[in-house]
Amino acid sequence: MLGLVVLIELSRLSLLFLKGVKAEEKIAGALREWAVEPSPFISVVVPCKDEERNIPETVRSILASDYENFELILVNDRSSDKTLEIMESLAREDSRVRVLSVEFLPEGWTGKTHALHQAAEQARGDVLVFTDADVLWSPD
């Protein structure tokens, strides 16, 4: 009886192993295809509220990325400091940067969520990446 149980368990594990190998082959195939195709266009979204101290360095760190196929959407979320002016200046320096400005907050929304939603509506990327205005990115 024990031998039969061991044989059944070995058969089951063999099937699982074969399924895993097939899954790995599918994943490897998809990765090979992706490596040949152009890299996806990415929309990087940065919501900003009163971030005049952080936004220049954050934007420059994103723009220094070794990944080239992206746009950077900066969303001014009703800032009371010079955030919008700084963002517009940064946009003039690099054509990958777009600036959106949220003037009012609709009822039922929180500021950051609404800013992200506004950017997602206008993003052109195949992939959306959301980050904060006080995050520094490494080039890779």
Side-chain angles (χ1 to χ4, degrees):
M1 183 70 169
L2 180 61
L4 182 60
V5 170
V6 169
L7 185 59
I8 291 171
E9 187 61 20
L10 284 174
S11 298
R12 186 182 73 79
L13 290 173
S14 295
L15 287 173
L16 288 174
F17 175 76
L18 290 174
K19 285 181 180 179
V21 168
K22 286 184 179 183
E24 283 184 25
E25 289 171 2
K26 285 182 183 178
I27 292 169
L31 289 174
R32 278 191 299 276
E33 286 177 28
W34 187 54
V36 173
E37 293 178 7
S39 301
F41 187 65
I42 295 176
S43 294
V44 180
V45 177
V46 184
C48 306
K49 181 164 185 168
D50 298 329
E51 292 286 354
E52 69 182 5
R53 289 179 40 191
N54 297 317
I55 197 62
E57 194 172 11
T58 295
V59 167
R60 288 193 176 93
S61 74
I62 294 169
L63 294 174
S65 173
D66 59 8
Y67 190 89
E68 297 176 2
N69 198 18
F70 72 94
E71 68 177 344
L72 177 56
I73 303 173
L74 305 175
V75 187
N76 177 50
D77 181 21
R78 303 165 292 128
S79 294
S80 59
D81 63 4
K82 294 183 180 183
T83 297
L84 180 59
E85 292 171 40
I86 294 168
M87 289 175 11
E88 289 172 339
S89 174
L90 292 163
R92 285 190 294 274
E93 294 174 16
D94 194 305
S95 62
R96 295 174 293 178
V97 180
R98 290 195 295 147
V99 176
L100 304 177
S101 192
V102 174
E103 302 300 325
F104 69 97
L105 184 62
E107 187 176 328
W109 285 90
T110 59
K112 187 174 190 177
T113 306
H114 182 253
L116 293 172
H117 175 72
Q118 292 298 307
E121 290 283 310
Q122 297 201 27
R124 298 183 303 238
D126 302 309
V127 176
L128 300 178
V129 175
F130 301 105
T131 187
D132 285 333
D134 59 355
V135 175
L136 298 180
W137 290 40
S138 66
D140 60 348

